[in-house]
Amino acid sequence: MIGLLLGDGCLEKKKDTIGIRLQVKQQSKAKEYVEWLYSQLDQYCLSGVKFRKDYNQYYFSTRYRREFQDLYNLFYKDGKKVIPVKIKDLLTSPLSMAIWYMDDGSLDYRPKNHYAFYLATNCFTVDDSRRLMETLWINFGIKSTVYNNLCRGKRYPRIYVGAEGREKFCQTVQPYIL
């Protein structure tokens, strides 16, 4: 759940409903990944993975569950997703790191021995992204930096894992990558 919430996973709260539900949506190229996530969470779901042709995406959602309330309270403030202050205590599993990468990461590969990883943190603040960067270093020994990229006239932070951290990043997530 932690890796999903750092990525594109979304917790949803309805006014007249008790509990919180998790929504997972990914582009069609990630079908196998969505099906694997569903297999891990199917006991919380009413129906299986579905395809939405108009958005070209696979998705599923869980039932509304009280068990997700604590995570919602940590990751959402005034309905907006944030990075919890105690993220260092939450992001401790290499599997969570791998899910975060598969959910919202990318590989920048170029010939002649250049490769780096990006973790999208677009919806978070620069300070939240820096907190994540510190967590990568403290919990996994992964050196990274935060870039505040310009996209469509607006600045969005993202985490860059370059030459100094890429080997450790690969060792951490590789056993779990589909």
Side-chain angles (χ1 to χ4, degrees):
M1 290 288 284
I2 301 302
L4 282 172
L5 293 174
L6 292 173
D8 290 331
C10 175
L11 291 176
E12 182 182 81
K13 182 178 190 173
K14 275 192 177 176
K15 289 180 184 177
D16 300 335
T17 307
I18 296 173
I20 306 292
R21 77 173 177 173
L22 171 69
Q23 292 188 328
V24 172
K25 299 175 186 175
Q26 290 286 329
Q27 292 298 309
S28 63
K29 66 183 177 182
K31 178 184 180 190
E32 186 179 355
Y33 170 64
V34 174
E35 289 173 339
W36 177 81
L37 285 172
Y38 175 78
S39 75
Q40 304 303 302
L41 297 165
D42 65 346
Q43 70 270 20
Y44 299 109
C45 301
L46 285 174
S47 61
V49 174
K50 297 176 184 172
F51 181 71
R52 226 181 132 164
K53 191 174 183 176
D54 53 339
Y55 288 103
N56 194 34
Q57 66 184 196
Y58 286 91
Y59 69 97
F60 70 89
S61 59
T62 66
R63 295 184 303 260
Y64 286 92
R65 308 290 298 199
R66 288 184 178 164
E67 298 96 312
F68 299 154
Q69 186 68 54
D70 289 340
L71 281 173
Y72 183 86
N73 292 340
L74 285 171
F75 277 90
Y76 289 82
K77 299 294 180 230
D78 300 321
K80 184 176 174 29
K81 198 191 285 191
V82 298
I83 297 300
V85 173
K86 64 179 199 171
I87 191 64
K88 288 179 195 138
D89 299 331
L90 299 170
L91 181 59
T92 58
S93 161
L95 177 58
S96 290
M97 271 291 305
I99 289 171
W100 180 21
Y101 173 68
M102 288 186 287
D103 208 67
D104 214 7
S106 60
L107 169 65
D108 175 13
Y109 174 80
R110 299 177 213 162
K112 298 188 181 177
N113 200 29
H114 171 84
Y115 70 97
F117 300 93
Y118 288 102
L119 295 164
T121 54
N122 308 32
C123 71
F124 303 122
T125 66
V126 172
D127 287 340
D128 282 348
S129 299
R130 286 189 180 124
R131 191 175 306 120
L132 285 166
M133 179 186 73
E134 289 172 12
T135 300
L136 292 178
W137 175 248
I138 291 167
N139 290 358
F140 302 100
I142 297 170
K143 187 162 175 62
S144 61
T145 56
V146 173
Y147 285 107
N148 205 13
N149 293 328
L150 184 63
C151 180
R152 296 183 196 112
K154 190 172 179 187
R155 296 267 174 204
Y156 295 98
R158 68 178 175 167
I159 294 174
Y160 174 81
V161 181
E164 295 181 67
R166 66 187 181 201
E167 292 301 321
K168 186 66 175 165
F169 183 84
C170 283
Q171 292 169 1
T172 302
V173 301
Q174 189 276 331
Y176 307 100
I177 300 294
L178 298 172

